[in-house]
Amino acid sequence: MIEAVGLTKRYGAKTAVHNLTFQVRPGAVTGFLGPNGSGKSTTMRMILGLDRPTSGYVTVGGRPFHQLPNAPRQVGALLDAKAVHGGRSARLHLLSLAQLSGIPASRVDEVLGVVGLQDVARKRSKGFSLGMGQRLGIAAALLGDPQVLLFDEPVNGLDPEGILWVRNLMKRLAAEGRTVFVSSHLMSEMALTADHLIVIGRGQLMADMSVKDFISANSADFARVRTPDGEPEQREKLTAALVEAGGRVLPEQDGGMRVTGLPLPRISDVAHGADVRLWELSPHQASLEEAYMRMTQGAVDYRSTDDQRAGFQPPAPAFGHQMPAMPQMPQQGWQETAYPVLEGERPNPYAQPVAAAPAAPPVPPSAPASVPAPADLTKRDSEDAR
């Protein structure tokens, strides 16, 4: 299990991660979501001991990563598939990793077969495609047969067959009781792969819940209704009847209507009673992508000037009836402390000040003490503070 408590990382005046507290439990695929620059990569680096937290701590199996005996046999990770010496063959790359960790050479050939690279095992990795490089990175993560696995964009560059293979691999690893933590921007793939979600925005926790609960909390189901084109009087007649029956009606840009407050059979009965023909009557259930966009639309740092957030904001109300307000997400983890506004840093819009902050959890003796960010980190490009 991976456990983070009050995890914070600052790069000079930039707070990349602030006060993250969460658990990644074994036996399930946990998706790690957030916009670009939200702190996902920084969080994963702190889990793996590549970056030291400014405050707070993170443990794997109850210990900080640097205290794990023979860590590659307990934790496998894919953070950067390009971190390979291009002059080495796939087999030699994995063999060197195996020798450093006391892993038998037979395991190298085994994982090459698992990821489908057995036929190109002796070819230099500099000639690999992006997808082949991803497979090699996954092979390196699986090399020690670890119980904890972290993957950052594992399907990047893979073809549809490869994406399906990665999806099934993640599920199989979780079914074996392993801890699987996956960061990805592909919402459709996360919806098919993940059981649980951890969502962050601008370094703070936004959601920690199952995929089903996340979609339910960030969307509103509705019925899509369409009357014959070219007969606006039919639509007006149906609108009046639906409103009278207790429904709420909003127009859509293509001439259809969005109806809430009434089940589909009731809408059909109302239309029949009003003698209105229907060209369409279909249920709409939000996807993970739609729910994610609704939650994180205010946390996006890089947005096109042409982007009017179409599709993520409810349309202007018509007929004097508004859609019901979207359910508010429980702000887990934000109430512990107010977000610190440092010099040159924008205030975090998600921070909710509270009257009194609860006592901080005790830090185990093995956890690093809170220290200021090293001076060299303040010189990094802002893109490093992810």
Side-chain angles (χ1 to χ4, degrees):
M1 183 174 74
I2 302 170
E3 183 176 18
V5 177
L7 199 59
T8 299
K9 180 62 179 179
R10 295 191 181 100
Y11 296 94
K14 170 70 176 180
T15 301
V17 174
H18 173 64
N19 203 29
L20 278 185
T21 297
F22 62 83
Q23 291 182 339
V24 183
R25 295 179 174 83
V29 178
T30 300
F32 193 31
L33 309 181
N36 287 333
S38 61
K40 300 190 304 298
S41 295
T42 298
T43 300
M44 285 190 154
R45 289 179 61 83
M46 287 190 285
I47 293 173
L48 296 171
L50 299 174
D51 281 343
R52 169 181 281 189
T54 303
S55 62
Y57 63 92
V58 59
T59 59
V60 179
R63 296 184 179 185
F65 184 86
H66 68 274
Q67 292 186 7
L68 293 174
N70 201 347
R73 288 201 169 200
Q74 299 192 49
V75 182
L78 168 63
L79 294 189
D80 183 3
K82 297 180 181 179
V84 180
H85 191 296
R88 288 182 178 174
S89 67
R91 190 176 189 280
L92 284 179
H93 170 67
L94 295 177
L95 187 60
S96 63
L97 296 178
Q99 291 174 341
L100 288 172
S101 304
I103 298 171
S106 59
R107 177 63 179 169
V108 172
D109 296 317
E110 183 179 341
V111 295
L112 282 169
V114 169
V115 302
L117 294 180
Q118 64 274 19
D119 294 337
V120 294
R122 300 188 182 279
K123 291 187 177 181
R124 292 184 178 182
S125 60
K126 66 180 180 181
F128 281 9
S129 66
L130 180 59
M132 293 167 68
Q134 288 292 108
R135 289 176 180 267
L136 181 57
I138 293 173
L142 298 176
L143 192 59
D145 195 23
Q147 287 298 308
V148 177
L149 291 136
L150 291 83
F151 299 99
D152 191 0
E153 300 290 351
V155 299
N156 187 26
L158 293 178
D159 56 18
E161 184 277 335
I163 292 174
L164 177 61
W165 166 73
V166 169
R167 184 194 311 157
N168 292 332
L169 173 66
M170 301 293 172
K171 291 183 176 181
R172 178 171 62 80
L173 292 170
E176 293 172 355
R178 304 176 199 254
T179 300
V180 183
F181 196 34
V182 186
S183 171
S184 179
H185 289 299
L186 297 180
M187 294 299 108
S188 58
E189 192 56 36
M190 280 288 95
L192 295 172
T193 306
D195 305 297
H196 196 88
L197 294 178
I198 293 173
V199 184
I200 64 174
R202 292 178 179 160
Q204 290 190 278
L205 185 67
M206 299 182 74
D208 184 352
M209 59 183 65
S210 69
V211 174
K212 181 179 179 181
D213 290 344
F214 180 82
I215 294 175
S216 176
N218 288 280
S219 63
D221 295 338
F222 60 88
R224 180 172 168 77
V225 181
R226 178 187 291 276
T227 56
D229 293 340
E231 299 182 17
E233 69 280 356
Q234 291 283 302
R235 184 173 63 179
E236 294 172 3
K237 186 177 179 181
L238 178 59
T239 297
L242 290 172
V243 170
E244 185 179 354
R248 298 179 180 86
V249 182
L250 286 172
E252 294 191 329
Q253 294 180 352
D254 60 359
M257 295 183 292
R258 184 179 299 191
V259 181
T260 61
L262 295 174
L264 262 67
R266 179 61 177 151
I267 295 173
S268 177
D269 291 342
V270 170
H272 179 73
D275 195 25
V276 174
R277 289 183 299 132
L278 297 181
W279 277 12
E280 179 182 353
L281 175 58
S282 59
H284 174 85
Q285 294 180 331
S287 64
L288 174 60
E289 180 180 57
E290 182 179 344
Y292 170 82
M293 291 296 189
R294 286 185 181 275
M295 163 170 270
T296 62
Q297 60 183 324
V300 176
D301 288 326
Y302 310 104
R303 190 185 298 277
S304 168
T305 55
D306 292 334
D307 182 6
Q308 300 301 319
R309 305 182 185 179
F312 311 133
Q313 300 272 15
F319 314 114
H321 299 277
Q322 297 187 3
M323 287 282 284
M326 296 296 297
Q328 296 298 314
M329 284 296 299
Q331 299 172 341
Q332 301 180 36
W334 300 349
Q335 294 88 348
E336 296 182 6
T337 60
Y339 188 81
V341 182
L342 304 178
E343 183 178 358
E345 181 180 18
R346 290 183 300 174
N348 191 307
Y350 300 110
Q352 299 295 327
V354 293
V363 179
S366 59
S370 298
V371 294
D376 62 324
L377 293 183
T378 64
K379 300 179 182 178
R380 290 187 177 183
D381 188 325
S382 60
E383 282 299 309
D384 286 344
R386 295 176 293 175

